[in-house]
Amino acid sequence: INVRLSILKTLLGKRFASGSADKSIIIWTSKLEGILKYTHNDSIQCVSYNPVTHQLASCSSSDFGLWSPEQKSICKHKSSSKIICCSWTNDGQYLALGMFNGIISIRNKNGEEKVKIERPGGSLSPIWSICWNPSREEHNDILAVADWGQKLSFYQLSGKQIGKDRVLNFDPCCISYFTKGEYILLGGSDKQVSLFTKDGVRLGTVGEQNSWVWTCRVKPDSNYVVVGCQDGTISFYQLIFSTVHGLYKDRYAYRDSMTDVIVQHLITEQKVRIKCKELVKKIAIYRNRLAIQLPEKILIYELYSEDSSDMHYWVKERIVKKFECNLLVVCANHIILCQEKRLQCLSFSGVKEREWQMESLIRYIKVIGGPPGREGLLVGLKNGQILKIFVDNLFAIVLLKQATAVRCLDMSASRKKLAVVDENDTCLVYDIDTKELLFQEPNANSVAWNTQCEDMLCFSGGGYLNIKASTFPVHRQKLQGFVVGYNGSKIFCLHVFSISAVEVPQSAPMYQYLNRKMFKEAYQIACLGVTDTDWRELAMEALEGLDFETAKKAFIRVRDLRYLELISSIEERKKRGETNNDLFLADVFSYQGKFHEAAKLYKRSGHENLALEMYTDLRMFEYAKDFLGSGDPKETKMLITKQADWARNINEPKAAVEMYISAGEHVKAIEICGDHGWIDMLIDITRKLDKAEREPLLLCATYLKKLDSPGYAAETYLKMGDLKSLVQLHVETQRWDEAFALGEKHPEFKDDIYVPYAQWLAENDRFEEAQKAFHKAGRQREAVQVLEQLTDNAVAESRFNDAAYYYWMLSMQCLDIAQADPAQKDVMLGKFHHFQHLAELYHGYHAIHRHTEDPFSVHGPETLFNISRFLLHSLPKDTPSGISKVKILFTLAKQSKALGAYRLARHAYDKLRGLYIPAKFQKSIELGTLTIRAKPFHDSEELVPLCYRCSTNNPLLNNLGNVCINCRQPFVFSASSYEVLHLVEFCLEEGITDEEAISLIDLEVPRPKREDRQQETINNSIYALGQNLRVQPYEGPASFRQEAGGPRPRGWIPEPAIPSMPTHSGSQGLHVLPTGLGSHGTHGLQEDWTPPGSQILQLVETKDSMGDEDPFTAKLSFEQGGSEFVPVVVSRPVLRSMSRRDVIIKRWPPPLRWQYFRSLLPDASITMCPSCFQMFHSEDYELLVLQHGCCPYCRRRKDDPGP
């Protein structure tokens, strides 16, 4: 019965399945007991267990089934063709089916087809064997396919073919991978089993049979192969993969995967792989050449560059010829083939140039170097003969002949010594020139000379590595493998199939040389590789042996600068002619810590002072006293100082201080006291020092200041007479009162005091005081900078009242500069007026800003109305930063509407339409714009401002600004309510000084007044007329009319008496003059016109009724219609007639002139701030001062006596 088997590897062979031609599948135990049986419709072709699960795939001619213990039934799937072979992937997820029609079907573990591969031959190329690569290192699953189209192919799981089809020239019947997937076994109609690489490259034949090979398998994790043939023969083979490699110095080349060559740099551990894609038979490497023998050719490679670490090779030559040889050697321009007893030299073109015939079999051959084309070869024969052959010479040179066969050879670096390992495992070393046997060592299987040291070699054998230097005894350590090279401190060892570089310290041979005082030879050994401890030992031994050159090189290795300095100093002294070796050796002993030996040598050489200095430096003061001279005070002082230094270093500072003081080293004593914070000791030292000792006193003061004892530091500075340092002390400790007192006595330190004081104030956010301090110190530029920064910050933070205050301070600063520096007078006065104007603007705008931003306003509608009118008339063309014209117009429109100034409100809303409106005001402005249209197109006459000079009613919207439209007299505003004050500015006549004007005003000559009785009579008459009395302004002949009943003409004001400025032509009319003003006429009653049923009483003012004229009032006249402002100029008589209480004077400091104002309503009191000269209604000013404790404009304190 045809039976096919599959063993479940994951269950360790405990179960297996069999399928046969009787269409049955049986699952057996390891005891050959059947536990399950199921059938197919056709004969079974193949079975395979899933390598991960218990799932079994069974294939027949028409279908395949999947069974697992978890299932109660078999899942069968139809097949389009006869299934010949099957194979699971490593992870058990996919099953590949090979069919008779040349199709490969890849199914998942549920039987669903995922990939279908159609071979080019179709049904003419049945898929007879398939197998997945079992390697876990491959990134993709790779399927090997062998068909009867006599081709071998490889596919990925996705169905993509890898590479091209490889022609087999026979019908394959079985294919099998090695356990790690590196090789493939293939057998079939050629009656043999062939070995292939995993890429399909044929390597050779494993074994030949007498019939077709139907199956072949590899024992897991081994090189054993089992072959089953058609005639029932089973063969068992063991594959041995020999090592193919080559070595030259630090480059090692070896075969990998049978078809690749890896070149390894043994020092840098770099590797490069050369893929030959054919079986590599021999490898040879020499310098920059690499020769690789393949079955049909030899490839010669060369390095790209001469760099010793370069690992890039390129093909230089190809010798396309088949060669049979035992050994292969490559030189610079030739290759050497070894064939039993014969050596052949071929050029890189394959031409044989020379041939040498030997007496015996060649056992060892090695290239020992030489010029290109003239290299030398070292050849060892089985009969014990050792030859040297040059490539360009036909004649071989016999070096020596020994009785035993040669196994290994090597020549020393100078080519004077030859090491031989014979067949008795003995290492023999000969002198090439004399042919003398120098020494021999047993238990050796390989030998190598050190390429960097003539007298060192190593040999291996018996599991040990032996290192021999010169004629010294052998140093032995454990090591497995064969020694193939010895370079410096690295020994290259071949173990099994790999070579490794072993770092071997050369300590043992180095100490062997040191024991014989052979320092230079020991240094050469140390250069091969020893530890830092060994280098130091070598350096010390050479130094004590006075071999300074070797010692210097050794100390450079360990980077010991201290000993290098010693050697350098000794060399310099030797150059100057010193030859006392005892003195040199004493220095060496002192550096090594052998102090007593050094002291003895110092004394013997006559240098006791050096011994004294050494013991002093070592704090061995008891020993130092033995070398003191005959009571030399300088040496004694030096010794005490050194002892104090030692006490300081061992943390006994108080003892050190006392010693320093006794030795006169006050500075060092002060440093210790200061570092430890001993204030009392510092004070004692300070008071004991003479004032001429400035350095220690200054150091004492510095430490006292650092220790927060400024009083004692000040005492020290006073003792020294250093006033500048004293001032600096007060400033640094912020003892400003003491600093100011010192500055009063010594004005030259004014800048040193006030400038730091101002900076300290600025750092503590006391900027206003800082500005004043800068000003007091004469640093006008810094003072202005502080104010400008404060102003900018206040504007940026919307603190407009602060901005106004700072601008006012800036203006006064500019006025001070103009007064102090005449060269800047004009510029500073311009800035003064500019900053004054900005201060007034920001002071008023503060109320507007707060009104628009805060939910509640502290100002009444009239005040806001006045402020917004003032700002609108005062704003320059370029609106100052932070001031919003929108807020001003919005406030003006809102308050105008509330107070009845509808025309002005319309104008404000019209102006707002041309500006960008913030969102929060948009709705209010739009609503106001609409509602104002329903109001009359005129302003309330109660709001119209009056000029107190010409009695002209000015419009609310004045194109000229804050001046009268008639006389151009500037209005004077209250700094709180911004009402027009009843003040008229006047100027002094030419030749009148301010002092004279004050004296004239203070005279206050009495002037006849009008009778109060007459005024009382008029008032009584008006009251008697009752509510029907109306006062009409002067019109024509009758200036004032009183009408009882009837309609009231427009323009009449229902007041008992209207204050008005007097006319200047003596015409009649009702005039109630302010107190102190004169009149142009007298009052009288006149009957003019009597309508039916009523009486009219006309009050007529005549010139005689008011008494004498006021001289100042006469000066108020001006030229009607003039466009230029004509100021009021008063003479001495006018000044003499004025009352002191009616005159307000702004006493500006030079270079400004004083300003004089006359109050036209003396009974309405006005107060002027003596600092900023702003005017207020007295009641408002007193209230504001009580609220804020200072002037609201310049912030002058109420208790400040200054102006």
Side-chain angles (χ1 to χ4, degrees), residues 399-400 416-417 429-438:
L399 294 179
L400 57 90
K416 294 181 180 180
K417 297 178 183 179
V429 178
Y430 296 93
D431 186 303
I432 295 178
D433 296 332
T434 64
K435 308 295 189 295
E436 178 188 357
L437 177 64
L438 300 178

Side-chain angles (χ1 to χ4, degrees), residues 24-138:
S24 298
I25 297 291
I26 301 176
I27 299 176
W28 309 82
T29 66
S30 59
K31 297 180 180 180
L32 302 181
E33 297 175 351
I35 60 174
L36 180 67
K37 179 179 179 181
Y38 65 90
T39 61
H40 282 265
N41 295 327
D42 294 300
S43 61
I44 306 303
Q45 299 297 317
C46 58
V47 292
S48 179
Y49 261 118
N50 190 312
V52 178
T53 66
H54 299 187
Q55 194 174 27
L56 174 67
S58 55
C59 305
S60 68
S61 300
S62 60
D63 62 359
F64 70 94
L66 297 173
W67 172 85
S68 63
E70 295 84 8
Q71 298 175 349
K72 294 182 180 179
S73 60
I74 308 300
C75 295
K76 295 182 180 180
H77 303 270
K78 290 291 182 180
S79 173
S80 59
S81 178
K82 181 179 179 179
I83 302 174
I84 301 176
C85 53
C86 62
S87 178
W88 287 95
T89 57
N90 295 332
D91 56 5
Q93 297 295 316
Y94 296 95
L95 174 68
L97 304 176
M99 302 183 184
F100 193 82
N101 60 359
I103 293 176
I104 303 167
S105 177
I106 299 178
R107 312 256 177 162
N108 62 15
K109 59 183 180 180
N110 296 324
E112 300 170 352
E113 186 176 67
K114 294 298 182 183
V115 179
K116 183 177 181 182
I117 302 172
E118 297 183 2
R119 299 284 294 152
S123 59
L124 299 178
S125 302
I127 308 300
W128 210 260
S129 184
I130 58 176
C131 186
W132 292 97
N133 190 331
S135 173
R136 301 289 181 180
E137 298 178 359
E138 296 289 343

Side-chain angles (χ1 to χ4, degrees), residues 365-377:
I365 183 171
K366 181 177 182 179
V367 182
I368 57 175
R374 302 178 59 189
E375 292 87 357
L377 304 177

Side-chain angles (χ1 to χ4, degrees), residues 638-659:
M638 183 270 293
L639 188 61
I640 295 174
T641 304
K642 292 284 187 179
Q643 193 171 0
D645 292 338
W646 171 73
R648 181 178 184 178
N649 293 333
I650 64 172
N651 203 18
E652 292 186 5
K654 289 192 176 181
V657 169
E658 294 175 358
M659 293 179 189

Side-chain angles (χ1 to χ4, degrees), residues 747-757 776-779:
E748 64 270 17
F749 300 121
K750 181 178 179 182
D751 287 350
D752 297 332
I753 296 172
Y754 283 99
V755 172
Y757 177 60
K776 193 168 184 179
R779 299 292 185 92

Side-chain angles (χ1 to χ4, degrees), residues 1163-1178:
D1163 293 338
S1165 178
I1166 295 175
T1167 300
M1168 181 185 70
C1169 175
S1171 176
C1172 59
F1173 303 133
Q1174 290 293 326
M1175 311 288 192
F1176 303 87
H1177 288 295
S1178 297

Side-chain angles (χ1 to χ4, degrees), residues 827-1110:
V827 177
M828 289 297 109
L829 286 180
K831 288 187 177 182
F832 164 77
H833 293 298
H834 174 66
F835 290 146
Q836 282 275 329
H837 181 62
L838 288 178
E840 293 174 356
L841 292 179
Y842 281 113
H843 181 74
Y845 183 72
H846 175 71
I848 300 297
H849 177 73
R850 296 267 46 95
H851 169 69
T852 55
E853 296 295 330
D854 295 346
F856 303 102
S857 177
V858 297
H859 299 283
E862 293 85 357
T863 302
L864 293 172
F865 174 76
N866 292 334
I867 294 173
S868 55
R869 278 191 63 253
F870 169 77
L871 291 175
L872 188 63
H873 289 146
S874 301
L875 281 178
K877 185 176 181 181
D878 296 330
T879 305
S881 175
I883 293 180
S884 171
K885 205 168 184 180
V886 172
K887 292 182 180 180
I888 295 172
L889 289 171
F890 175 62
T891 304
L892 179 62
K894 184 177 178 181
Q895 303 306 326
S896 298
K897 181 180 176 182
L899 296 175
Y902 303 120
R903 182 177 181 181
L904 181 58
R906 285 174 182 268
H907 174 78
Y909 280 124
D910 289 343
K911 287 287 186 182
L912 284 169
R913 291 171 60 187
L915 301 177
Y916 173 75
I917 309 299
K920 64 179 181 179
F921 299 135
Q922 190 76 37
K923 186 174 181 180
S924 300
I925 292 175
E926 290 176 354
L927 182 62
T929 304
L930 290 175
T931 55
I932 196 61
R933 296 180 181 180
K935 301 298 182 181
F937 197 78
H938 63 80
D939 297 330
S940 173
E941 295 183 1
E942 296 179 359
L943 304 175
V944 175
L946 176 68
C947 175
Y948 284 93
R949 178 177 178 181
C950 65
S951 301
T952 303
N953 289 330
N954 284 260
L956 294 177
L957 184 63
N958 191 344
N959 294 331
L960 298 179
N962 288 318
V963 299
C964 177
I965 60 172
N966 186 27
C967 63
R968 305 298 194 273
Q969 178 75 30
F971 295 133
V972 181
F973 293 91
S974 168
S976 58
S977 64
Y978 282 82
E979 295 177 354
V980 178
L981 297 177
H982 44 274
L983 296 175
V984 175
E985 184 179 0
F986 62 89
C987 302
L988 301 179
E989 199 175 55
E990 190 71 24
I992 303 177
T993 63
D994 293 328
E995 292 76 8
E996 183 183 358
I998 294 296
S999 62
L1000 292 173
I1001 294 173
D1002 288 340
L1003 291 176
E1004 195 172 357
V1005 177
R1007 186 177 67 249
K1009 299 181 181 180
R1010 61 190 177 186
E1011 297 294 330
D1012 295 336
R1013 179 180 51 80
Q1014 185 178 4
Q1015 182 64 38
E1016 182 179 354
T1017 303
I1018 297 174
N1019 291 341
N1020 292 336
S1021 300
I1022 294 173
Y1023 181 78
L1025 294 176
Q1027 296 298 324
N1028 293 327
L1029 178 63
R1030 181 181 297 265
V1031 181
Q1032 181 179 5
Y1034 171 73
E1035 296 178 2
S1039 297
F1040 292 86
R1041 292 187 171 88
Q1042 298 177 352
E1043 296 180 351
R1048 298 181 178 180
R1050 182 178 178 181
W1052 289 82
I1053 301 175
E1055 293 289 343
I1058 304 299
S1060 172
M1061 289 302 297
T1063 59
H1064 303 288
S1065 59
S1067 59
Q1068 294 179 342
L1070 178 61
H1071 293 269
V1072 182
L1073 293 176
T1075 308
L1077 287 180
S1079 174
H1080 293 279
T1082 60
H1083 289 284
L1085 298 176
Q1086 180 179 351
E1087 189 176 53
D1088 186 21
W1089 176 67
T1090 305
S1094 63
Q1095 292 183 351
I1096 292 178
L1097 178 64
Q1098 182 174 350
L1099 302 180
V1100 181
E1101 180 181 333
T1102 63
K1103 189 172 182 179
D1104 297 334
S1105 63
M1106 294 301 297
D1108 295 335
E1109 178 184 349
D1110 183 359

Side-chain angles (χ1 to χ4, degrees), residues 687-725:
R687 291 173 178 172
K688 291 177 182 178
L689 287 172
D690 187 80
K691 64 179 181 180
E693 299 182 76
R694 294 186 61 84
E695 182 182 356
L697 283 173
L698 186 61
L699 188 60
C700 277
T702 303
Y703 276 112
L704 288 170
K705 180 170 63 175
K706 188 185 298 185
L707 295 173
D708 198 20
S709 297
Y712 293 118
E715 178 185 340
T716 307
Y717 284 131
L718 285 174
K719 182 175 183 178
M720 297 168 56
D722 191 350
L723 296 179
K724 185 174 182 63
S725 298

